[in-house]
Amino acid sequence: KMASRAIRFENGFHGELQLDEGVVKIGREPGSAAPYDMLYGALASCLYVTFLGILEKKRIAIEGAEIVVEGEKRTEVPTTLKTVHLTVTIRGTQKEEAVRKSFELATKYCSVYQTISHVAEMSYELHFA
C-alpha cells in the first residue's frame, strides 16, 4: 500500500510535514528538523518500535531506552551515508542477554534499518543502565 504525506514549503527552505497528529517543522532554523534529523529519527523510532514488539512477544519489560544515531556521509555526490552507528542504552531490565538477542532481531526486522543498510555500513552497541 502506498503511503503519502503532505509537505509544504514556503519562502525557501521553510517547510512543514503535515500529520494527522500535528506538524513537524522542516528547515535550518531552531525548532526545525533538517532532512538527516528526520532520517535518523525515522531509523531510531522504527527500530525501537520493532524492538518493543519483539520484547512484548517474549514478555520482557524494559523501562525505556535512549538511542544516539551517528552517521558519516560519503564525500562523493550523491553524499549517501557511508556508516551509521547507534549507541543504545536500555533502562530497567534484569534480562540483558534476552534483550540483546531481541535487539539483534529488531535490526533484522526493522524496515528503515534494512533500507539504510543497503547504502551504509550499520553498527550498534548496547549498554544497560
Side-chain angles (χ1 to χ4, degrees):
K1 179 181 166 186
M2 183 71 86
S4 68
R5 286 285 175 228
I7 303 165
R8 171 170 283 157
F9 292 95
E10 303 285 338
N11 301 318
F13 189 52
H14 303 278
E16 292 185 343
L17 168 59
Q18 299 170 347
L19 308 169
D20 294 338
E21 298 78 10
V23 171
V24 177
K25 293 197 174 298
I26 300 169
R28 292 188 185 96
E29 61 275 345
S32 298
Y36 271 80
D37 295 333
M38 291 186 290
L39 182 65
Y40 294 156
L43 170 60
S45 57
C46 179
L47 187 54
Y48 189 67
V49 76
T50 304
F51 175 55
L52 286 180
I54 292 167
L55 292 178
E56 189 178 307
K57 287 179 182 149
K58 293 184 175 186
R59 297 183 179 3
I60 298 171
I62 64 170
E63 288 176 15
E66 177 184 81
I67 302 173
V68 176
V69 183
E70 298 171 284
E72 179 188 358
K73 291 162 105 177
R74 290 178 173 84
T75 53
E76 60 272 9
V77 176
T79 56
T80 57
L81 284 168
K82 180 178 177 182
T83 62
V84 175
H85 183 75
L86 301 106
T87 303
V88 183
T89 304
I90 309 289
R91 294 186 312 277
T93 184
Q94 301 300 315
K95 301 180 176 181
E96 290 186 11
E97 194 51 39
V99 168
R100 279 184 194 283
K101 289 179 181 167
S102 298
F103 192 85
E104 185 179 340
L105 267 180
T107 65
K108 290 176 173 46
Y109 289 108
C110 168
S111 59
V112 176
Y113 187 100
Q114 286 299 315
T115 298
I116 295 171
S117 76
H118 287 284
V119 296
E121 180 184 317
M122 306 293 284
S123 62
Y124 66 87
E125 56 188 276
L126 283 184
H127 301 280
F128 294 89

